[in-house]
Amino acid sequence: MGKLIALGMEGSANKIGVGIVTEDGDVLSNPRRTYITPPGQGFLPKETALHHQEQVLPLVDEALRQAKVKPSDISFICFTKGPGMGAPLRSVAVVARVLAQLWGVPLVGVNHCVAHIEMARLVTKAVDPTVLYVSGGNTQVIAYAESRYRIFGETIDIAVGNCLDRFARLVGLPNDPSPGYNIEQEAKKGEKIVDLPYVVKGMDVSFSGLLSFIEANLQKWLKEEGYTVADICFSVQECLFAMLVEITERAMAHCGSKDVLICGGVGCNKRLHDMVTTMAEERNANAYTTDERFCIDNGAMIAWTGMVMFKEGFTTPMADSTCTQRFRTDSVLVTWRKDKE
């Protein structure tokens, strides 16, 4: 019998990806497409789902070609069960169900948040890090304990990526390739700091008030006080990321952790890398990050997490292959982690 090969399908937000991974952790292919809306607009569930429906089968074909494997080589199919946007999730899950039946292989439903962690652990070789998970839909500080990824702190309103996306719309930055990337480039030109609300509540953070504050004062800053869009982008990054570094460091201190791992789409930001790395070095700890291939939503992370679950005997019956928009990171029983037993 040959090695197990998993095909993973991710489509919880505006990215649709298909990845193929072996049981050794080799990523054979990982193509991805992004639904990009015009400047000033976000992505809505219906239109995003239609984009995914158009792209998913061509991506499956592309993934198989790049991996140089046939459908008969696939051992099982993994899909994002949640959390995420309902219509895009369902669009991908339907295809996963159909392919599983056509190819005669099992299904494995995967938690999107856990998949980000497991993919980042695989790529960086970080064994037991404190995790800063930052994306468009989630902001959490996480550590593993007793077969669960425990959440030590999180946003109490909107995710940091959602805050950045909405801020980009306020200042007219485009969505191509992503709002966060364009904010990061503008921030490099910033010279003056705008005083912004810094909201840390214990181990949790809040971003919605900061966004409202910016919306209320933006025109005054630009027209009366001499600030530029670059200055405001710079200030927003510094404020948001300082809040995240603070609660991450506190979690590391509580857990006695010597490693910190950044994952999720916002984890691509170089300034966030630098701030977390500086904090880690001051604690004689190590900071781990991945690049855009694996920080941003992708199919390989679903395939790999499905792989470790499948090897523990987990499969998803067809009757249970539904999706959910709310699927907590700490609700998943992590039976495959043996490093702290």
Side-chain angles (χ1 to χ4, degrees):
M1 183 178 177
K3 291 181 180 178
L4 294 173
I5 299 177
L7 182 145
M9 306 171 70
E10 155 59 28
S12 60
N14 69 327
K15 309 287 190 301
I16 171 74
V18 178
I20 298 178
V21 176
T22 71
E23 64 179 301
D24 296 330
D26 295 326
V27 178
L28 303 182
S29 61
N30 197 24
R32 176 176 57 207
R33 302 281 187 277
T34 302
Y35 175 53
I36 297 174
T37 55
Q41 297 182 26
F43 52 92
L44 300 175
K46 180 180 177 181
E47 289 78 6
T48 307
L50 290 172
H51 169 267
H52 291 4
Q53 291 163 24
E54 292 171 355
Q55 296 292 333
V56 62
L57 289 178
L59 277 171
V60 170
D61 289 338
E62 183 178 342
L64 291 169
R65 286 197 310 272
Q66 288 182 6
K68 296 181 173 59
V69 298
K70 305 182 295 295
S72 58
D73 297 319
I74 301 299
S75 307
F76 51 93
I77 292 175
C78 314
F79 70 98
T80 304
K81 189 173 178 65
M85 300 171 71
L89 281 170
R90 288 193 298 273
S91 297
V92 177
V94 165
V95 177
R97 290 186 206 111
V98 171
L99 290 181
Q101 292 178 89
L102 287 173
W103 297 352
V105 295
L107 271 176
V108 180
V110 173
N111 179 287
H112 176 89
C113 310
V114 171
H116 270 296
I117 299 170
E118 291 303 337
M119 192 73 216
R121 287 181 65 237
L122 171 69
V123 171
T124 64
K125 309 302 181 189
V127 177
D128 185 35
T130 297
V131 178
L132 174 60
Y133 170 36
V134 280
S135 70
N138 300 278
T139 299
Q140 298 174 339
V141 176
I142 302 161
Y144 174 81
E146 298 180 352
S147 300
R148 303 272 179 181
Y149 280 117
R150 311 288 176 174
I151 298 172
F152 280 75
E154 60 189 321
T155 176
I156 60 174
D157 39 53
I158 60 175
V160 64
N162 184 249
C163 181
L164 290 169
D165 290 351
R166 290 162 66 178
F167 166 69
R169 295 204 289 272
L170 288 177
V171 295
L173 293 178
N175 294 321
D176 190 8
S178 73
Y181 176 82
N182 294 322
I183 291 170
E184 182 180 4
Q185 303 317 306
E186 279 294 311
K188 293 174 182 177
K189 299 179 284 186
E191 297 178 347
K192 296 190 294 182
I193 282 281
V194 181
D195 191 18
L196 297 173
Y198 184 96
V199 189
V200 174
K201 298 174 180 287
M203 281 298 293
D204 295 328
V205 290
S206 171
F207 303 122
S208 61
L210 180 146
L211 194 63
S212 298
F213 183 80
I214 293 170
E215 188 170 12
N217 291 279
L218 181 61
Q219 294 308 313
K220 180 182 68 174
W221 293 333
L222 295 174
K223 294 178 180 178
E224 300 175 17
E225 299 185 7
Y227 291 105
T228 65
V229 169
D231 292 332
I232 301 170
C233 289
F234 172 54
S235 304
V236 166
Q237 279 198 165
E238 294 300 302
C239 183
L240 294 181
F241 296 166
M243 292 159 64
L244 296 172
V245 171
E246 178 184 333
I247 62 171
T248 302
E249 182 173 21
R250 206 176 294 141
M252 291 178 71
H254 179 81
C255 298
S257 176
K258 287 296 183 182
D259 295 320
V260 58
L261 173 65
I262 310 170
C263 64
V266 180
C268 293
N269 189 290
K270 179 66 164 55
R271 178 58 183 151
L272 179 60
H273 289 187
D274 292 344
M275 292 174 72
V276 171
T277 299
T278 298
M279 176 271 287
E281 289 174 348
E282 290 175 352
R283 299 184 56 80
N284 295 316
N286 304 302
Y288 296 92
T289 61
T290 64
D291 60 32
E292 63 183 16
R293 292 172 300 166
F294 303 115
C295 261
I296 298 170
D297 293 352
N298 63 91
M301 73 183 201
I302 303 301
W304 173 245
T305 307
M307 177 68 74
V308 295
M309 294 170 67
F310 184 82
K311 291 175 75 172
E312 286 290 309
F314 183 90
T315 59
T316 302
M318 194 63 63
D320 296 332
S321 60
T322 54
C323 300
T324 175
Q325 292 179 263
R326 293 174 176 82
F327 190 3
R328 292 279 295 179
T329 310
D330 51 8
S331 68
V332 178
L333 186 64
V334 183
T335 58
W336 57 89
R337 286 280 303 261
K338 313 296 184 187
D339 50 276
K340 292 184 74 172
E341 292 183 358

